[in-house]
Amino acid sequence: MSLSIDLSGRVVMVTGASSGLGAHFARTAASAGAKVVLAARRADRLEALAKDLEASGSEAIAVPMDVGDEGSISAAYDKAEQSLGPVDSVIANAGMNISGLATKTTADDFDAVMNVNLRGVFLTAREGARRMMAAGSAEREHGRIVLIGSIMSTAVGAGLSAYCASKAGLAQLGRVLAAEWAQQGISVNTIRPGYILTELGDGFLESDAGQEFIKSFPRQRLMEAADLDHIVFHLLSDAGRRTTGGVFTLDDGQTLV
């Protein structure tokens, strides 16, 4: 899918950029002209992606980041600023899942999911907003933060209690942050994608049970990562200046059942 949005002059940080949606968003942001900060824990994958982007003429930097660690987040922003300039756009994409029925889910597993999917997003967005404000976002209205949620914030999935709760919290978090930062020239929006085949699925969607599950969708198919591009990158662009506090569902009708 071609993308006509121009992000020239923007510095976009993508968390969870070592694979899946994060890597896709990073490539798309680079193709739209942005300087890209690749953030995740798997440094080897980030470096490989950064080299690929640079080979195609884009500016990109790999920064190790653990979204559960405030010091790691701050250090990643520091490194990004030193190399590419202040980050003015963030795609908070890092996420994880540990599936299991609630009665079998340990407190540590529940906390691990919340630590990445909700607390980690909060810390990433908060640090980004602080730096956008310091760089004059109130005057320029240039700050952009997009949170990657899930249709499971409202749908019910057995065995996904921690994941669903984290994504429900994320959607509300985005609205609160949008309200708090509206006067600071920072737009905050949340995207709720449907099912897309990524590493986070742990092979379920490729299994026989997963294939039967896909057949239950009205269009009996998965989405592709590129299906999210137009709305994600519209929100990051200058055209997204007047859109904040939105929660956008893109699921190809998967929840119409």
Side-chain angles (χ1 to χ4, degrees):
M1 181 182 295
S2 60
L3 189 70
S4 60
I5 292 170
D6 183 7
L7 297 181
S8 299
R10 286 195 167 274
V11 179
V12 179
M13 173 180 282
V14 183
T15 67
S18 59
S19 64
L21 286 180
H24 171 79
F25 290 143
R27 291 184 183 278
T28 307
S31 69
K35 300 176 183 178
V36 183
V37 182
L38 309 168
R41 290 182 295 180
R42 294 180 289 188
D44 55 338
R45 291 196 179 194
L46 294 181
E47 292 291 352
L49 179 54
K51 289 179 180 177
D52 284 348
L53 295 180
E54 290 169 349
S56 65
S58 301
E59 291 187 68
I61 182 175
V63 294
M65 178 194 284
D66 178 352
V67 298
D69 183 337
E70 289 183 85
S72 174
I73 293 171
S74 180
Y77 276 97
D78 285 343
K79 186 175 180 180
E81 289 181 10
Q82 292 163 7
S83 298
L84 301 179
V87 172
D88 54 41
S89 307
V90 175
I91 302 177
N93 167 76
M96 67 169 293
N97 181 38
I98 301 175
S99 59
L101 295 176
T103 52
K104 303 295 185 181
T105 298
T106 67
D108 286 345
D109 285 348
F110 188 90
D111 289 347
V113 174
M114 287 292 181
N115 187 52
V116 172
N117 292 3
L118 188 55
R119 181 176 181 272
V121 171
F122 169 73
L123 294 176
T124 300
R126 185 190 66 180
E127 186 65 21
R130 286 172 172 172
R131 294 181 185 240
M132 291 174 198
M133 292 175 197
S137 62
E139 295 76 28
R140 300 178 65 198
E141 295 188 342
H142 207 54
R144 303 285 187 274
I145 298 175
V146 175
L147 313 182
I148 305 302
S150 169
I151 56 173
M152 300 312 294
S153 64
T154 54
V156 175
L160 298 173
S161 56
Y163 184 82
C164 291
S166 70
K167 293 301 185 178
L170 179 67
Q172 185 67 354
L173 173 65
R175 289 175 54 78
V176 173
L177 298 182
E180 287 194 12
W181 301 337
Q183 295 297 319
Q184 296 296 326
I186 300 171
S187 295
V188 184
N189 292 283
T190 302
I191 306 299
R192 298 194 304 185
Y195 282 89
I196 299 171
L197 187 60
T198 67
E199 291 182 13
L200 190 61
D202 295 329
F204 168 71
L205 294 173
E206 297 170 296
S207 68
D208 290 342
Q211 292 300 303
E212 288 301 313
F213 177 61
I214 293 168
K215 290 178 183 177
S216 72
F217 300 155
R219 290 180 169 163
Q220 299 185 349
R221 65 189 183 191
L222 296 174
M223 294 179 62
E224 298 179 359
D227 294 333
L228 307 178
D229 287 351
H230 282 287
I231 190 164
V232 170
F233 292 97
H234 168 82
L235 293 171
L236 293 186
S237 73
D238 291 344
R241 182 169 62 92
R242 298 191 185 279
T243 305
T244 193
V247 181
F248 301 93
T249 299
L250 293 91
D251 69 351
D252 197 27
Q254 291 174 4
T255 52
L256 297 177
V257 291

